[in-house]
Amino acid sequence: MSTPSEAELEFVDDVAVFFAREGLPLIAGRVIGWLLISDPEEQSAGQLADVLRVSRSSISSATRLLTPSGLVEGVRRRGERQEYFRIAADGWSRMVAGRYAKTAAFRELTEVGLRVLAGSAPERRERLAGVHQLYQFLERELPALWDRWEAYRAAAESPGGKDTPGPGATVAGTSAAVTPGTCTSPAGTSGTGTSGAGAAGKGTE
């Protein structure tokens, strides 16, 4: 395994800061960042610890946090006892799909709240009503968006297809331009992303 360049380590830290704003620990975000660009793509806990300059126990905690979402997966090689970690082939899609699946549940929860406030002044109901409208919209629109993503991916992976269709490109079976999906936390949480975060330092645990 080659020694990562400073530019690569800066990218890893930038990924960590991005996900820290979503509530993910910095070390978990750094694991994601390195696994996105590592060579080879499968990394042992020891390799991750060496590159990220943290303890193996920190790597163990991070991978335990990341694997349930399906984004990061552990694999074993025949004849070897140690486990290797990598970004799952469809891990990001599964992670986002899991968040989309919870949209209806939160919409139902907002309806409960609106019933609780049924006799309240309109201005008191306004905040919750706005959230309810948003989740109604998402529940209605996200399935179509997901279908477009699947068509987009299928077109990109088909023989003779382009690996990375350009922004706004249309794909077979769709009538609208492809719209990028939402980014959510790999640990299964989502946040506004508005809180500031300092740069992830080398050796942060």
Side-chain angles (χ1 to χ4, degrees):
M1 182 183 70
S2 59
T3 302
S5 67
E6 282 303 313
E8 290 172 340
L9 290 175
E10 286 178 7
F11 168 77
V12 168
D13 287 343
D14 288 343
V15 171
V17 170
F18 177 87
F19 282 111
R21 295 189 180 116
E22 300 294 319
L24 198 68
L26 281 171
I27 183 57
R30 297 181 74 211
V31 169
I32 294 171
W34 179 241
L35 289 180
L36 283 170
I37 62 172
S38 62
D39 182 22
E41 66 172 324
E42 297 177 355
Q43 299 278 296
S44 68
Q47 289 172 320
L48 289 169
D50 289 343
V51 169
L52 302 179
R53 304 173 193 175
V54 297
S55 66
R56 292 198 183 198
S57 62
S58 294
I59 295 299
S60 178
S61 296
T63 53
R64 283 200 305 270
L65 181 66
L66 295 172
T67 50
S69 70
L71 175 59
V72 173
E73 63 182 3
V75 295
R76 294 188 182 275
R77 298 174 182 173
R78 182 173 299 176
E80 295 188 31
R81 298 180 60 183
Q82 66 180 340
E83 187 174 18
Y84 292 83
F85 299 95
R86 66 187 181 192
I87 298 292
D90 62 344
W92 223 281
S93 295
R94 282 188 287 163
M95 179 186 70
V96 175
R99 292 301 302 169
Y100 284 175
K102 297 177 182 177
T103 301
F106 194 75
R107 187 264 307 158
E108 292 171 357
L109 188 57
T110 62
E111 289 180 350
V112 172
L114 289 173
R115 289 196 296 271
V116 170
L117 298 178
S120 301
E123 55 269 21
R124 186 180 179 192
R125 291 167 50 90
E126 183 177 0
R127 284 167 292 163
L128 185 57
V131 177
H132 176 67
Q133 290 173 349
L134 171 63
Y135 275 80
Q136 274 187 320
F137 174 82
L138 292 175
E139 186 179 4
R140 182 176 65 249
E141 297 296 327
L142 287 178
L145 175 62
W146 197 256
D147 288 343
R148 284 159 57 191
W149 158 245
E150 294 290 353
Y152 177 98
R153 182 170 63 174
E157 294 175 353
S158 63
K162 295 181 179 179
D163 291 335
T164 53
T170 56
V171 294
T174 65
S175 57
V178 174
T179 304
T182 331
C183 185
T184 56
S185 168
T189 61
S190 63
T192 61
T194 57
S195 61
K202 310 295 187 294
T204 304
E205 297 188 17

